[in-house]
Amino acid sequence: MMRRIAVLDAPTNLGLRPPTASSVPGCGKAPGALRDHGLLARLRARDAGCLTPPRYDPGDWRPGDGVCHAPEISTYSLALADRIGAIIDRGEFPLVLGGDCSVLLGSALAMHRLGEAVGGRIGLVFVDGHSDFRHPGNASYVGAAAGENLALVTGRGQPDLAAIEGRRPYFRDIDVVVLGIRAQDEYRLDLQAAGITTRPVPALRAEGAARTAQWAHEQLVDCAGYWVHIDVDVLDPAVMPAVDAPDPGGIAFAELEILLAGLVDTPHCLGVELTVFDPDYDLDGAYAAEIVNTVVAGLAPVVAPDAVPPRLLPAAPAAPVAPAPRAAGSHRAERAAVTVPVPAVATDPIGPPAAPVGLDEYAPADAEEPPSWPDAEDRRPPAGPGLLRRVAVPGTDAPPVEEASPADGTA
C-alpha cells in the first residue's frame, strides 16, 4: 500500500535576520507559494494545516544577546513537534513546508521524543548549502537560529533552544549526515572534528546523487529511522537564486530530485522538511514551479502503490551484531541534461558504514553558553505519548504491530 503524505505549513521567519532594518524576511510566504502550484493535489496529500508562528519582531536585540527570538522559537518548536508527532501517529509521511531552517528544532524535538518512545536513535540527513554550525564554541556571538540550527539540534548552544524539555542533544553527532555543503564551508573542519559525516558538493557529484542517497542510508544503519532536512539553497544560484543566502557551487534540480527520491525510498525515512525558499525573489512564480516539480518527482517513491509503510528498526542489541545489508531501493536514472554541469559518476564502490556506537558511549561536546540563559525547565513527558506506536516486530519481516496506547491525535 502507498504511504499517504500529509503537508504541514510551518511559515516561520523567526530564525532569520531582517533583510533591512524595517523589513521582514519573505521565507514565511513559501508554503503558500508552493501550494499555489498544486503541490498538494499532485501529491494527493492530506492537508495537515498551518502552524502560525509568533510575530517576527527583533525589537532591541543586539549581538551578544543570544539567539534572536529564542523564546518564540522554543514555543513554536514545541507546537511543531506536537503536530509532526500527530501526523506520524496516523501512519502518514509528514512533509513540512518552512519557513526558515529553525523549523528543524521542532522536527528534531519530535524525532527525539520518538526515539525515546521506541528505545532507539533517530538520525538526520541534513541537505543544505551551508553547515549552519555556528555556536558559542566557534563564534564570537550567535544570533540567527537559521544559521545555527545544526549546532543547536546536536546540543550546542543556549539550553532554551538546544535542550527543550530537558532533551540534549536531539540528534547525536554520529547520527547526522550532511550533504551538499560547499567545499569551502566555514565550519567544515568543526564538523570533521565533531565526527559528523559530510559529503560536500564535489564528492556528491563525483559519486552521483543516487549513490549518495544509498551511502547516507548506510551511514545511519544503526538508527531506528531518520528525518530529512532540505534547504533549497543546496541548489546553485544559477537555478535557484530565490533564497536567503545564495552561494555558488551548488547542485542542480535534477540532482536534488534524484537525491530526494533515494532518501525517501525506504520505510525508515520518517519525513521531510523543505526550507528557505523566498517568494519575494520569485516574482513570476517560476522558481516555485520548479521546486514543486522536483518535490513531486522526488517523493514519488513514497506514494508508489508498492511503497512500504513507515517502520522503525528495533533497538540494537547489547552485543555488537553485524547489520544486515539494506536494500538499495529503486532510483530513477540520472538525467543527462541539467542546467549546472555535472561530472561523470565515479566507479569506486561505496565504503562500509562506521562501526556501531552504543547509546552510552556518546557524550556531546560541551559548548560555552551565555551565563544570562537559565537552565531549561525539564518538561520531559512520559516516554512515547502520541508518537508512532507502530513498531516493527524484532527479528521478523512481519508488518508493524500497534501497541496499546491512547487514541491517535490529529494534525
Side-chain angles (χ1 to χ4, degrees), residues 74 131 134 184:
S74 179
S131 62
R134 180 175 63 243
Q184 70 278 10

Side-chain angles (χ1 to χ4, degrees), residues 62-122:
R62 295 291 182 272
D65 291 345
V67 176
C68 187
H69 291 122
E72 292 82 4
I73 293 173
S74 179
T75 299
Y76 191 72
S77 298
L78 282 162
L80 182 57
D82 291 344
R83 297 287 285 269
I84 292 172
I87 292 171
I88 292 177
D89 252 5
R90 295 168 60 110
E92 296 175 326
F93 184 95
L95 171 60
V96 179
L97 303 179
D100 68 68
C101 287
S102 67
V103 301
L104 179 58
L105 275 72
S107 308
L109 179 58
M111 294 302 106
H112 193 278
R113 290 175 179 175
L114 177 57
E116 182 181 79
V118 302
R121 290 152 32 198
I122 307 299

Side-chain angles (χ1 to χ4, degrees), residues 118-187:
V118 302
R121 290 152 32 198
I122 307 299
L124 171 66
V125 180
F126 187 84
V127 183
D128 201 306
H130 307 92
S131 62
D132 295 347
F133 204 61
R134 180 175 63 243
H135 58 82
N138 63 13
S140 58
Y141 68 89
V142 294
E148 297 146 16
N149 63 96
L150 183 57
L152 289 166
V153 300
T154 54
R156 298 165 172 88
Q158 58 198 56
D160 57 346
L161 295 178
I164 299 172
E165 294 183 337
R167 303 172 185 273
R168 186 175 193 159
Y170 311 124
F171 298 110
R172 299 165 185 253
D173 292 346
I174 58 172
D175 297 332
V176 176
V177 177
V178 175
L179 305 176
I181 60 172
R182 307 311 191 242
Q184 70 278 10
D185 187 272
E186 181 178 3
Y187 300 110

Side-chain angles (χ1 to χ4, degrees), residues 12 62-63 77 203 215 219 250 267 337 388:
T12 177
R62 295 291 182 272
S77 298
W215 173 81
Q219 305 311 303
L388 199 68

Side-chain angles (χ1 to χ4, degrees), residues 104-403:
L104 179 58
L105 275 72
S107 308
L109 179 58
M111 294 302 106
H112 193 278
R113 290 175 179 175
L114 177 57
E116 182 181 79
V118 302
R121 290 152 32 198
I122 307 299
L124 171 66
V125 180
F126 187 84
V127 183
D128 201 306
H130 307 92
S131 62
D132 295 347
F133 204 61
R134 180 175 63 243
H135 58 82
N138 63 13
S140 58
Y141 68 89
V142 294
E148 297 146 16
N149 63 96
L150 183 57
L152 289 166
V153 300
T154 54
R156 298 165 172 88
Q158 58 198 56
D160 57 346
L161 295 178
I164 299 172
E165 294 183 337
R167 303 172 185 273
R168 186 175 193 159
Y170 311 124
F171 298 110
R172 299 165 185 253
D173 292 346
I174 58 172
D175 297 332
V176 176
V177 177
V178 175
L179 305 176
I181 60 172
R182 307 311 191 242
Q184 70 278 10
D185 187 272
E186 181 178 3
Y187 300 110
R188 65 191 184 280
L189 297 180
D190 292 333
L191 295 175
Q192 180 179 346
I196 294 176
T197 303
T198 64
R199 181 164 281 187
V201 171
L204 189 160
R205 290 190 144 173
E207 293 290 348
R211 290 183 59 179
T212 292
Q214 177 59 24
W215 173 81
H217 294 174
E218 294 168 352
Q219 305 311 303
L220 300 177
V221 71
D222 296 316
C223 293
Y226 61 82
W227 181 263
V228 176
H229 163 89
I230 296 178
D231 182 335
V232 296
D233 71 15
V234 72
L235 295 161
D236 194 272
V239 297
M240 175 46 61
V243 295
D244 174 65
D247 196 4
I251 64 176
F253 274 108
E255 293 168 295
L256 179 57
E257 175 190 325
I258 296 164
L259 181 63
L260 176 58
L263 291 173
V264 304
D265 193 13
T266 167
H268 308 306
C269 180
L270 300 172
V272 172
E273 65 191 18
L274 194 69
T275 65
V276 178
F277 170 56
D278 190 339
D280 283 352
Y281 301 108
D282 185 23
L283 299 182
D284 62 359
Y287 299 123
E290 280 283 359
I291 293 173
V292 169
N293 290 339
T294 300
V295 171
V296 170
L299 293 182
V302 177
V303 296
D306 59 349
V308 180
R311 183 178 66 188
L312 294 178
L313 295 173
V321 176
R326 184 173 298 178
S330 57
H331 303 295
R332 58 174 54 82
E334 304 250 4
R335 285 189 278 179
V338 294
T339 305
V340 183
V342 183
V345 175
T347 57
D348 292 338
I350 299 172
V357 177
L359 288 171
D360 57 349
E361 296 178 19
Y362 173 82
D366 293 331
E368 182 181 353
E369 295 164 358
S372 59
W373 293 98
D375 290 336
E377 178 184 1
D378 190 349
R379 295 170 292 184
R380 185 189 301 268
L387 280 171
L388 199 68
R389 293 179 290 274
R390 300 162 184 83
V391 184
V393 180
T396 75
D397 293 326
V401 297
E402 185 165 286
E403 300 176 350

